[in-house]
Amino acid sequence: MNIDGEELIEQFYSRVEENMDNGMPYRDAIEMSAVTLGGPIPAKVSQAMAKYQEVIHPQSQLSQEENNDALALLSMGVLWDNTYFTPIEPDPSTPLENTLAESIYLIMKYGREEDGLNKALEANASNEGDVDVRAKAIRRVLGKA
Protein backbone atom coordinates (compact mmCIF):
# COMPACT_ATOMS: atom_id res chain seq x y z
CA MET A 1 0.00 0.00 0.00
CA ASN A 2 1.56 3.25 -1.14
CA ILE A 3 0.23 6.31 0.70
CA ASP A 4 1.21 9.80 -0.46
CA GLY A 5 2.15 12.53 2.00
CA GLU A 6 -1.18 14.33 1.79
CA GLU A 7 -3.15 11.15 2.51
CA LEU A 8 -0.83 10.23 5.39
CA ILE A 9 -1.28 13.66 6.97
CA GLU A 10 -5.05 13.45 6.55
CA GLN A 11 -5.00 10.08 8.33
CA PHE A 12 -2.90 11.61 11.10
CA TYR A 13 -5.29 14.50 11.74
CA SER A 14 -8.31 12.20 11.50
CA ARG A 15 -6.78 10.03 14.22
CA VAL A 16 -5.98 13.08 16.36
CA GLU A 17 -9.61 14.21 16.07
CA GLU A 18 -10.90 10.72 16.86
CA ASN A 19 -8.65 10.44 19.93
CA MET A 20 -9.81 13.86 21.14
CA ASP A 21 -13.45 12.90 20.55
CA ASN A 22 -12.75 9.95 22.85
CA GLY A 23 -11.63 12.31 25.63
CA MET A 24 -7.88 12.42 25.08
CA PRO A 25 -6.11 15.79 25.59
CA TYR A 26 -4.75 17.20 22.32
CA ARG A 27 -1.07 16.63 23.18
CA ASP A 28 -1.68 12.98 24.00
CA ALA A 29 -3.89 12.64 20.91
CA ILE A 30 -1.10 14.04 18.72
CA GLU A 31 1.58 11.80 20.18
CA MET A 32 -0.59 8.65 20.13
CA SER A 33 -1.70 9.29 16.55
CA ALA A 34 1.88 9.80 15.39
CA VAL A 35 3.14 6.60 17.01
CA THR A 36 0.27 4.43 15.79
CA LEU A 37 0.41 5.81 12.24
CA GLY A 38 4.17 5.52 11.89
CA GLY A 39 6.08 6.40 8.73
CA PRO A 40 7.67 9.88 8.75
CA ILE A 41 5.00 11.33 11.06
CA PRO A 42 6.54 10.43 14.48
CA ALA A 43 9.86 12.06 13.52
CA LYS A 44 8.13 15.29 12.44
CA VAL A 45 5.99 15.39 15.57
CA SER A 46 9.10 14.76 17.67
CA GLN A 47 10.93 17.64 15.95
CA ALA A 48 8.00 19.95 16.59
CA MET A 49 7.77 18.91 20.24
CA ALA A 50 11.52 19.44 20.72
CA LYS A 51 11.34 22.92 19.17
CA TYR A 52 8.31 23.74 21.36
CA GLN A 53 10.25 22.66 24.46
CA GLU A 54 13.21 24.80 23.38
CA VAL A 55 11.12 27.93 22.79
CA ILE A 56 9.33 27.71 26.16
CA HIS A 57 12.49 26.99 28.16
CA PRO A 58 13.29 30.34 29.83
CA GLN A 59 17.05 29.83 29.62
CA SER A 60 17.21 28.92 25.94
CA GLN A 61 18.51 31.45 23.43
CA LEU A 62 15.42 30.89 21.30
CA SER A 63 13.03 31.85 24.12
CA GLN A 64 14.82 35.19 24.46
CA GLU A 65 14.43 36.15 20.80
CA GLU A 66 11.76 38.70 19.87
CA ASN A 67 10.37 36.77 16.91
CA ASN A 68 10.90 33.30 18.28
CA ASP A 69 8.10 31.65 16.29
CA ALA A 70 9.64 32.65 12.97
CA LEU A 71 13.06 31.53 14.17
CA ALA A 72 11.65 28.23 15.44
CA LEU A 73 9.93 27.52 12.12
CA LEU A 74 13.02 28.53 10.18
CA SER A 75 15.37 26.46 12.32
CA MET A 76 13.16 23.40 11.88
CA GLY A 77 13.41 23.96 8.13
CA VAL A 78 17.18 24.13 8.39
CA LEU A 79 17.24 20.81 10.21
CA TRP A 80 14.96 19.15 7.67
CA ASP A 81 16.43 20.44 4.45
CA ASN A 82 20.03 20.88 5.57
CA THR A 83 20.06 24.26 3.85
CA TYR A 84 19.39 27.83 4.82
CA PHE A 85 16.40 29.46 3.20
CA THR A 86 14.25 32.52 3.42
CA PRO A 87 10.74 31.63 2.31
CA ILE A 88 8.96 34.46 0.51
CA GLU A 89 5.68 32.72 -0.37
CA PRO A 90 4.31 29.25 0.29
CA ASP A 91 6.63 26.90 -1.55
CA PRO A 92 4.75 24.09 -3.30
CA SER A 93 7.92 21.99 -3.27
CA THR A 94 8.12 22.07 0.56
CA PRO A 95 7.16 18.65 1.86
CA LEU A 96 3.79 18.54 3.56
CA GLU A 97 5.40 16.79 6.52
CA ASN A 98 7.33 19.98 7.29
CA THR A 99 4.10 21.97 7.33
CA LEU A 100 2.65 19.34 9.66
CA ALA A 101 5.51 19.86 12.11
CA GLU A 102 5.16 23.64 11.89
CA SER A 103 1.45 23.27 12.70
CA ILE A 104 2.16 20.98 15.66
CA TYR A 105 4.70 23.49 16.99
CA LEU A 106 2.11 26.31 16.89
CA ILE A 107 -0.57 24.08 18.42
CA MET A 108 1.73 23.14 21.29
CA LYS A 109 2.96 26.68 21.90
CA TYR A 110 -0.43 28.38 22.01
CA GLY A 111 -2.87 25.58 22.82
CA ARG A 112 -2.85 25.97 26.59
CA GLU A 113 -3.23 29.73 26.55
CA GLU A 114 -6.58 31.41 27.02
CA ASP A 115 -8.02 31.88 23.52
CA GLY A 116 -5.27 29.57 22.26
CA LEU A 117 -6.96 28.85 18.94
CA ASN A 118 -6.99 32.52 17.94
CA LYS A 119 -3.48 33.13 19.27
CA ALA A 120 -2.15 30.16 17.28
CA LEU A 121 -3.93 31.38 14.15
CA GLU A 122 -2.51 34.90 14.61
CA ALA A 123 1.02 33.53 15.07
CA ASN A 124 0.53 31.33 12.01
CA ALA A 125 -0.66 34.25 9.87
CA SER A 126 2.35 36.36 10.84
CA ASN A 127 4.88 33.74 9.68
CA GLU A 128 6.02 32.69 6.24
CA GLY A 129 5.20 29.33 4.73
CA ASP A 130 1.98 27.55 3.92
CA VAL A 131 -0.30 29.59 6.18
CA ASP A 132 -3.53 28.06 4.84
CA VAL A 133 -2.50 24.44 5.41
CA ARG A 134 -1.19 25.23 8.89
CA ALA A 135 -4.39 27.15 9.77
CA LYS A 136 -6.54 24.20 8.74
CA ALA A 137 -4.51 21.87 10.99
CA ILE A 138 -4.60 24.31 13.91
CA ARG A 139 -8.39 24.61 13.61
CA ARG A 140 -8.80 20.82 13.46
CA VAL A 141 -6.94 20.33 16.73
CA LEU A 142 -7.47 23.45 18.82
CA GLY A 143 -11.02 23.90 17.58
CA LYS A 144 -11.81 20.68 19.44
CA ALA A 145 -9.71 21.37 22.54
Side-chain angles (χ1 to χ4, degrees):
M1 181 166 84
N2 187 12
I3 298 175
D4 69 13
E6 192 169 345
E7 187 177 338
L8 189 64
I9 290 169
E10 177 56 36
Q11 285 182 10
F12 169 74
Y13 282 114
S14 291
R15 287 186 186 193
V16 170
E17 290 171 320
E18 183 179 317
N19 287 336
M20 291 175 67
D21 286 345
N22 290 325
M24 198 177 280
Y26 68 89
R27 181 179 182 148
D28 294 344
I30 288 167
E31 290 177 334
M32 178 65 75
S33 299
V35 169
T36 58
L37 193 56
I41 302 296
K44 296 302 180 185
V45 169
S46 180
Q47 287 174 334
M49 295 290 191
K51 193 54 65 174
Y52 159 70
Q53 291 296 325
E54 181 183 353
V55 81
I56 65 167
H57 191 284
Q59 295 174 340
S60 75
Q61 179 66 36
L62 184 57
S63 72
Q64 307 300 315
E65 296 293 335
E66 184 177 332
N67 197 358
N68 56 23
D69 286 339
L71 294 171
L73 297 179
L74 178 61
S75 66
M76 284 194 292
V78 171
L79 292 174
W80 292 325
D81 300 328
N82 200 26
T83 58
Y84 292 93
F85 64 93
T86 306
I88 306 295
E89 298 178 25
D91 181 358
S93 67
T94 301
L96 288 170
E97 290 87 356
N98 292 359
T99 303
L100 175 136
E102 293 167 355
S103 302
I104 298 299
Y105 163 81
L106 292 167
I107 289 165
M108 294 308 302
K109 182 166 182 207
Y110 295 99
R112 288 189 177 175
E113 293 186 18
E114 187 175 328
D115 199 22
L117 171 60
N118 286 327
K119 288 180 180 177
L121 290 171
E122 287 172 20
N124 175 51
S126 67
N127 283 286
E128 300 295 335
D130 198 333
V131 173
D132 293 335
V133 170
R134 288 192 312 241
K136 181 180 175 189
I138 290 166
R139 282 188 192 92
R140 288 181 78 170
V141 177
L142 294 182
K144 287 187 166 284

